[in-house]
Amino acid sequence: MKHKLALPLIALSFAIGGCATSSMPAATAPVSDAAKPKPVTLSYQQGEVLSYVLITGKDTEAAKAARKTYYDTAFPLADQYGLRRDLNLAVPQQLVGKYKADAMAIFSYPDAASLERLNATTEWPAIKALRPKAWDELAIFTQTLEQPLEITFDPDKIYTLAVAEIKPGVPDDYNKYMKGIEPGLNEMGGRFVYRMINPSIEAHRHTYDPQVQVTMVEWDTPEALAGFTKSPGYKANSKYFTSGVSGFSFFQIAPRTPTSS
């Protein structure tokens, strides 16, 4: 695994709190209801396959040409197997983590069999081989849903995505951390939207540890996010974070406007 925790826990706390505060825009004049972004809701059924895609760009002419070829070949083929390009998201802030992400996308398939059929096509390996030429990194976390899921992005709220690599030998510590922080997080205006536990991973630059959890969280206010690492629930359980995680990246995410861009 290439990206280990570079910050001690106290520095991590300041990084989350400080960056979360600074990332919020200053107060401005009220926005009219007509101009205000609308909530975006994604709904999934049990058995559907969900993918989070973290994207780090490469801005060379060769990369642009490779991306065009990828888009012109990958999407028409994957569409035949039920690919849905559900939402494109911006990454306004990377709050913690060595490796950046410029953007994020959420894709889905109707079921695991559809994705397996795509992976089995003769064309797909050559198309996937274009990814290192087209992007600095394209990290795809994929999991089949065990129950229905609804994700709503409310423009009045803040959303984050955490990618935690679980330290070998102590697989339960991060789960203890997550269970311990949830009541306090809920009280201060946060909630877990969805936790991917040990998803399949495709990435061409980074080598992830075998066990990974990817958690999306909704926060009612910027203050809730900024104050989380100062909360009693966090302080009481932070030891399990320190002992249980070998790599960690934490992003603020938001739907692009328009969402189809």
Side-chain angles (χ1 to χ4, degrees):
M1 190 213 72
K2 297 180 181 177
H3 47 303
K4 302 294 183 182
L5 281 179
L7 299 174
L9 190 60
I10 187 67
L12 174 65
S13 300
F14 282 124
I16 295 175
C19 289
T21 302
S22 63
S23 68
M24 299 303 117
T28 58
V31 177
S32 69
D33 289 342
K36 187 176 180 179
K38 304 298 183 185
V40 177
T41 298
L42 306 176
S43 297
Y44 303 98
Q45 299 301 313
Q46 179 181 351
E48 293 189 66
V49 175
L50 183 67
S51 291
Y52 294 152
V53 185
L54 289 174
I55 304 160
T56 307
K58 185 186 291 187
D59 194 25
T60 66
E61 292 304 315
K64 293 175 183 177
R67 283 198 295 275
K68 184 179 186 306
T69 301
Y70 185 88
Y71 291 143
D72 289 346
T73 55
F75 287 146
L77 179 60
D79 287 349
Q80 297 177 37
Y81 296 90
L83 171 69
R84 295 189 298 267
R85 290 162 272 177
D86 297 327
L87 189 63
N88 294 328
L89 298 103
V91 179
Q93 281 279 354
Q94 177 150 351
L95 304 174
V96 177
K98 180 178 179 181
Y99 296 105
K100 69 176 183 176
D102 302 322
M104 179 183 166
I106 299 177
F107 291 171
S108 61
Y109 290 87
D111 50 45
S114 298
L115 181 54
E116 289 171 3
R117 287 194 294 269
L118 170 64
N119 287 328
T121 61
T122 56
E123 306 98 319
W124 194 238
I127 293 172
K128 288 175 62 175
L130 291 167
R131 292 174 182 173
K133 301 175 183 178
W135 292 277
D136 187 54
E137 179 63 293
L138 198 68
I140 306 174
F141 304 91
T142 300
Q143 190 157 69
T144 301
L145 296 174
E146 296 182 352
Q147 58 188 19
L149 172 67
E150 185 170 280
I151 303 174
T152 296
F153 291 92
D154 184 332
D156 291 329
K157 298 185 179 183
I158 307 298
Y159 295 86
T160 57
L161 191 79
V163 181
E165 295 177 78
I166 308 307
K167 189 177 293 182
V170 284
D172 293 331
D173 281 14
Y174 189 69
N175 288 331
K176 291 178 183 177
Y177 166 76
M178 295 293 277
K179 183 178 180 180
I181 65 171
E182 187 170 13
L185 184 145
N186 294 160
E187 289 176 4
M188 64 190 304
R191 72 176 186 94
F192 295 145
V193 176
Y194 178 57
R195 287 174 64 191
M196 279 189 179
I197 299 178
N198 298 331
S200 64
I201 304 171
E202 298 176 71
H204 58 259
R205 178 169 179 175
H206 311 324
T207 301
Y208 289 86
D209 280 342
Q211 295 190 52
V212 172
Q213 293 193 26
V214 186
T215 305
M216 186 183 296
V217 179
E218 177 187 85
W219 307 83
D220 283 347
T221 64
E223 292 76 19
L225 172 59
F228 170 65
T229 56
K230 304 178 183 68
S231 67
Y234 174 80
K235 292 178 180 178
N237 293 280
S238 61
K239 61 184 178 183
Y240 296 119
F241 178 92
T242 304
S243 63
V245 172
S246 58
F248 189 73
S249 296
F250 190 41
F251 309 91
Q252 181 190 344
I253 59 175
R256 290 188 181 276
T257 304
T259 58
S260 59
S261 63

